[in-house]
Amino acid sequence: MIRLRPSAQRGHADHGWLDTYHTFSFADYLDPDHMGFRTLRVINEDFVAGGGGFPMHPHRDMEIITYIVEGALQHRDSMGTSSVIRPGEVQRMSAGRGVVHSEFNPSPDTPVHLLQIWIHTAVRGIDPGYEQKAFPEGERRNRLRLTASPDGAGGSVRIHQDARMYSSLLDAGETVRHELAPGRHGWVQLVKGELEVNGLRLGSGDGAAASEEPALAITAGAPAEFLVFDLA
């Protein structure tokens, strides 16, 4: 069974400096039918204006992944981390027993486009941690590149949950396939372009939840950038 989560039905808020779309319930957007999928709790598509950003704020007991589509994002946190995240890079912050951080667009005039992803942790109260890795375009072009996993396989960032995230840049007409083991579930999040997933058509911003499917067959109708989650 595969089910579409249309982009147009997501929650939306425009704060001026932040234009944001919520795939699942978040902040003032509450939809009892969309509280997450398996251990996947948040997928926010954010557009942060030049010079805008999130001031210092706390998190705990959550795996937080930041995926940059365009622009750059400045990160600072209570662990002493200071970094800039750019397209092709994935940041993982394990909030653990508590962390405070800020995220700002360092450019005065160029917006930053990103996805912020929250995954429930399997272990509460751990020491907070941070990891950031680059995944070159050639490793993602017309293939699924593992970018987050519970064991850091293939140079992916390590998360404290039985979940895996893949990213891909798929040329029009190309197909990739991801096998789902029995009892596993899949989520496809299309950042931009056009996809067909097991016969279901997706446009930019759409998501698709898959359960009781042996595999995900993903074909690009137009050049596409997307993420795939393999979840328990």
Side-chain angles (χ1 to χ4, degrees), residues 65-74 84-91 103 111-116 132 140 191 225:
I65 297 172
T66 300
Y67 179 89
I68 304 297
V69 183
E70 296 174 329
L73 193 69
Q74 172 77 50
V84 176
I85 317 161
R86 296 181 172 85
E89 297 180 337
V90 171
Q91 175 213 71
E103 297 165 300
V112 58
H113 178 193
L114 67 126
L115 295 185
Q116 185 174 101
Q132 180 177 331
R140 297 177 289 136
V191 179
E225 180 174 4

Side-chain angles (χ1 to χ4, degrees), residues 5-230:
R5 173 59 166 148
S7 171
Q9 293 180 14
R10 295 179 296 176
H12 176 240
D14 189 345
H15 303 285
W17 64 271
L18 171 65
D19 193 17
T20 180
Y21 295 83
H22 309 312
T23 294
F24 305 119
S25 293
F26 186 86
D28 293 333
Y29 169 60
L30 178 62
D31 183 343
D33 293 330
H34 296 94
M35 297 299 297
F37 180 71
R38 310 302 297 179
T39 56
L40 186 56
R41 176 60 188 87
V42 166
I43 302 178
N44 287 348
E45 183 176 18
D46 293 341
F47 299 85
V48 181
F54 304 88
M56 281 289 187
H57 59 283
H59 295 284
R60 64 176 300 135
D61 292 323
M62 192 69 69
E63 301 294 315
I64 299 173
I65 297 172
T66 300
Y67 179 89
I68 304 297
V69 183
E70 296 174 329
L73 193 69
Q74 172 77 50
H75 169 95
R76 292 189 175 91
D77 63 43
S78 54
M79 295 178 285
T81 309
S82 179
S83 66
V84 176
I85 317 161
R86 296 181 172 85
E89 297 180 337
V90 171
Q91 175 213 71
R92 181 271 300 169
M93 187 175 70
S94 297
R97 65 175 182 271
V99 68
V100 179
H101 78 132
S102 66
E103 297 165 300
F104 277 92
N105 182 352
S107 170
D109 47 26
T110 302
V112 58
H113 178 193
L114 67 126
L115 295 185
Q116 185 174 101
I117 298 144
W118 294 8
I119 297 174
H120 287 291
T121 187
V123 186
R124 298 174 64 87
I126 62 173
D127 291 340
Y130 182 94
E131 194 175 9
Q132 180 177 331
K133 291 190 175 183
F135 300 92
E137 181 177 325
E139 296 182 6
R140 297 177 289 136
R141 178 68 60 186
N142 296 325
R143 58 172 292 191
L144 292 171
R145 175 57 161 103
L146 182 65
T147 50
S149 69
D151 55 3
S156 58
V157 300
R158 181 175 178 269
I159 58 175
H160 298 86
Q161 182 53 266
D162 183 10
R164 289 164 180 82
M165 184 181 92
Y166 300 81
S167 63
S168 183
L169 302 167
L170 201 58
D171 293 333
E174 294 290 332
T175 298
V176 293
R177 183 179 175 88
H178 179 70
E179 304 292 331
L180 289 170
R184 304 291 295 186
H185 305 258
W187 182 279
V188 178
Q189 186 66 36
L190 179 54
V191 179
K192 52 186 175 182
E194 298 175 7
L195 289 179
E196 186 173 287
V197 182
N198 291 10
L200 182 69
R201 292 187 177 182
L202 277 68
S204 296
D206 288 348
S211 297
E212 299 179 0
E213 296 277 341
L216 299 172
I218 305 169
T219 300
E225 180 174 4
F226 61 97
L227 302 176
V228 173
F229 297 87
D230 186 317

